Amino acid sequence: MRVGVRGVSVAVVVLGGVAFAGAQDFGAQAPTAVAAIKGACDAAGGLDAFRKLGIVQVEVTREEITQDGHTSAIRNGFFFTAPGPTPGRMEVPEKKVIAGDDGDKGWAVIDGKPDPKPSTQYMVKRLLHGDLFPLLLPFSLTWEGVSVTGVEPAEVEGRQVWRLKVQLARTFFFTPQIGTLWTVDVDRKTYMLVRAESPATDIGKGMVADGMRFSWEGPVKVGGVWFRGTQRLEGVDMDGNPKAHNRVDKIVYKLLPPIASAQLFANPIPPELRPKLPIGKPPQQPAAAPKK
């Protein structure tokens, strides 16, 4: 059985190249991971400029075609404080879901009612990772839980690229269906972002989750930083071959004033109604040494 590419969700809510200027040319020799990340970020406007953006609103209109040809459309909203992903917030109007993380703990309101699940406190950040990590490349390569373990030459549709091998923390995403070993390709000369991919994942019991291949087009400049107006996601099988399952995201960005932070990210649920993680047993203390 194969499991298709999934959109980000709260409690299972359906939740290419871009012409950037100013990149570095490291020559034919593969750069170090640090140099590759810096080159890619510089090509997109610079990491310092990205971190100074403040609060960014991201509106995504998503059209997905499933493996059997069924088409669906959904509109999601995301907010994050650069460099992200938290403080962050996501909104799925179709599912009446609003979820956020104030940088400490996550919260969610579903159809106007507080989400009672204790796991929400840490799961919202993982949900934000699922959508924002590919969308905010290459800047998201600097996030906690992300490690670039190597850089090697490769080719994408005749284009010479540096392939960054990326290891993500085991709990980085909200589901094991999304692999934690990614590749991110940047143009070998200009360091423009070209493609990113996570392989299909064997999740056991005869089930395989499709891999994901991301590409982008339509550069959009926001506060001196280059983002993309269109993101394309293609499902891939265990051999890396494309499948019929695909998705197109149309994206609009907007910068918000700092005063919006309290309204967007603060937990709106009264303290007495917030879920609490179960309290475990205290660790067993070592036996006291015998008195002499």
Side-chain angles (χ1 to χ4, degrees), residues 100-120:
D101 189 308
D102 60 11
D104 180 30
K105 294 180 181 179
W107 53 267
V109 177
I110 303 174
D111 196 13
K113 300 177 182 178
D115 184 351
K117 295 186 295 299
S119 60
T120 299

Side-chain angles (χ1 to χ4, degrees), residues 2-6 177-179 181-182 196-202 208-214 233-243 245-246:
R2 291 188 177 272
V3 181
V5 178
R6 295 182 181 270
Q177 292 181 20
I178 304 177
L181 293 174
W182 286 50
E197 185 170 332
S198 67
T201 305
D202 185 347
V208 176
D210 289 352
M212 299 184 293
R213 180 174 293 155
F214 293 88
L233 170 56
E234 189 175 46
V236 294
D237 63 19
M238 289 292 285
D239 297 318
N241 299 313
K243 303 187 67 177
H245 193 180
N246 65 86

